[in-house]
Amino acid sequence: MSDSTGKQTETHLDINRQPAPKSVTGVEVIALVLSLVWLGGSAAFFLTLGSGTAEPDALRFVMTMVAIFMPVAMIWVAATAARSSRVMREESQRLQAAIDGMRRTYVSQQQGFSQAHEPTVQRKLDEIAAAQRKTETALATFTTSRSNDRDRGIRKPVETPVVEQIAEDQGLLALGTPAEDLTPPLEREDFIRALNFPENAEDKDGFAALRRALKDRQASQLIQASQDVLTLLSQDGIYMDDLRPDPARPEIWRRFASGERGRIIAQLGGVRDRSSLALTAGRMKQDPIFRDAAHHFMRRFDKTFVEFEEAASDAEIVALSDTRTARAFMLLGRVAGIFD
């Protein structure tokens, strides 16, 4: 590896290359000198003092050899230990340098990976933001339509002389009549169609039913809660058109409306798509915004369905259970455990 000046630089990651060991070090030289000094001194000592003896004793000979070579052996044991300690210390330093180099390389690779994928992540975020803006635009359109219709409904009684005359004579409208009281009741067919939302931009009947449903306070609250949940689910690639839940009999739905819970209404949790269930369960645990929106939606659906069931026929209950809003309720209810 060379730098800009052409000089070779040593890499810190070359952990496979062993450094060339030194054949003779200062420790071995010192040990050799001490050994020679000891052996020379011992030889001079025993040759000087032992020249007068005619025949050496065996025990004395052994003791003499031990006295001569034991210190030499201890010197070389200490020298070997010192050499091993030095080798281990150098090896530890080399490994530490290699680990530091690997850490720096990993950090630089992670930074490069982040920089390389930053445009992709930014593009994904832009797509999500664009989808959310489209949803907000659609909701704003629905709300504007509802507001315009409501304004027209309020102005008509004010501009009609007959209504003013009745108010003056009888005093029934002294405090003003809410627009909801002047609006005709929502047809169940329009309510069911609105809960399924328009199929596409050309679905005029669907948009007309949705506008009529948004004039009704109870229905509009459920529709807006359903829209919020469906938008959040779509961020994880969960769409109600892809779900095919097992149909539940109308009497099971009526039991749910009457307040029964548990295994008696377990058929309502007919969603079997494992990936959708797993993604929704994970979002429920990790995303507090999604969890609050889901709980609000389920409360609105429960309250609205209780009122709907009182006058609905079995065929209308079956039709409502096949809407996108009902499928979202089955999915979230299965994850929340209200059908267990």
Side-chain angles (χ1 to χ4, degrees), residues 149-159 177-180 182:
D149 293 340
R150 180 177 296 175
D151 292 341
R152 288 194 294 270
I154 293 175
R155 285 197 298 269
K156 287 180 180 179
V158 174
E159 295 174 358
T177 302
E180 290 81 359
L182 300 177

Side-chain angles (χ1 to χ4, degrees), residues 14-330:
D14 194 7
I15 61 175
N16 293 324
R17 186 182 64 184
Q18 296 289 343
K22 298 180 181 179
S23 58
V24 178
T25 62
V27 176
E28 284 79 2
V29 173
I30 294 174
L32 180 61
V33 171
L34 291 177
S35 298
L36 293 176
V37 171
W38 178 259
L39 291 175
S42 300
F45 176 78
F46 285 105
L47 289 176
T48 302
L49 297 181
S51 58
T53 58
E55 184 177 355
D57 183 63
L59 180 58
R60 183 179 180 181
F61 178 76
V62 172
M63 294 300 295
T64 301
M65 293 297 104
V66 170
I68 294 175
F69 293 105
M70 179 64 73
V72 175
M74 295 300 297
I75 291 172
W76 284 102
V77 168
T80 303
R83 180 185 178 91
S84 299
S85 177
R86 180 181 56 80
V87 171
M88 292 178 64
R89 186 167 55 255
E90 293 176 354
E91 186 71 14
S92 176
Q93 293 175 355
R94 189 175 66 87
L95 291 176
Q96 184 63 40
I99 292 173
D100 293 339
M102 293 175 66
R103 185 182 296 109
R104 289 193 295 271
T105 302
Y106 174 78
V107 171
S108 62
Q109 289 178 353
Q110 289 296 109
Q111 293 176 351
F113 179 83
S114 300
Q115 294 175 357
H117 288 72
E118 184 176 359
T120 303
V121 175
Q122 186 65 33
R123 186 169 60 254
K124 293 291 185 181
L125 293 176
D126 293 340
E127 292 176 357
I128 293 174
Q132 187 172 5
R133 284 195 296 270
K134 291 181 181 178
T135 302
E136 292 175 354
T137 302
L139 288 176
T141 303
F142 298 153
T143 305
T144 303
S145 301
R146 178 183 61 179
S147 301
N148 293 337
D149 293 340
R150 180 177 296 175
D151 292 341
R152 288 194 294 270
I154 293 175
R155 285 197 298 269
K156 287 180 180 179
V158 174
E159 295 174 358
T160 304
V162 176
V163 175
E164 292 179 356
Q165 184 65 30
I166 294 175
E168 293 176 359
D169 295 341
Q170 300 180 2
L172 297 178
L173 302 179
L175 298 178
T177 302
E180 290 81 359
D181 296 341
L182 300 177
T183 304
L186 180 64
E187 297 292 337
R188 287 190 293 273
E189 181 180 357
D190 290 338
F191 177 67
I192 295 172
R193 188 186 294 270
L195 291 185
N196 196 45
F197 295 97
E199 296 292 340
N200 47 52
E202 289 75 23
D203 188 3
K204 297 181 180 179
D205 294 338
F207 280 104
L210 186 61
R211 283 192 293 268
R212 288 191 292 269
L214 288 174
K215 296 178 184 179
D216 185 86
R217 181 180 179 184
Q218 188 81 3
S220 65
Q221 291 177 351
L222 175 59
I223 290 172
Q224 291 177 359
S226 176
Q227 180 69 38
D228 294 339
V229 168
L230 293 179
T231 302
L232 293 173
L233 288 173
S234 66
Q235 295 176 359
D236 289 333
I238 303 174
Y239 301 96
M240 299 303 102
D241 293 342
D242 298 334
L243 302 181
R244 293 293 181 267
D246 298 336
R249 299 189 306 274
E251 56 265 25
I252 303 298
W253 283 101
R254 294 187 187 278
R255 287 190 173 187
F256 170 76
S258 64
E260 296 186 21
R261 297 293 184 268
R263 295 188 176 275
I264 298 177
I265 61 169
Q267 293 183 8
L268 300 185
V271 177
R272 308 297 180 187
D273 192 332
R274 295 184 178 179
S275 61
S276 298
L277 290 172
L279 290 173
T280 305
R283 190 81 179 270
M284 273 279 209
K285 294 179 181 179
Q286 300 175 2
D287 191 347
I289 297 177
F290 177 80
R291 183 168 58 251
D292 293 341
H295 288 164
H296 173 69
F297 163 70
M298 287 188 287
R299 286 193 299 268
R300 297 307 313 172
F301 185 92
D302 187 3
K303 182 178 180 180
T304 306
F305 182 76
V306 169
E307 299 178 1
F308 173 82
E309 182 268 338
E310 293 178 354
S313 64
D314 289 350
E316 290 171 338
I317 292 178
V318 171
L320 184 141
S321 66
D322 196 34
T323 61
R324 295 184 175 94
T325 299
R327 293 181 184 181
F329 176 75
M330 294 179 188

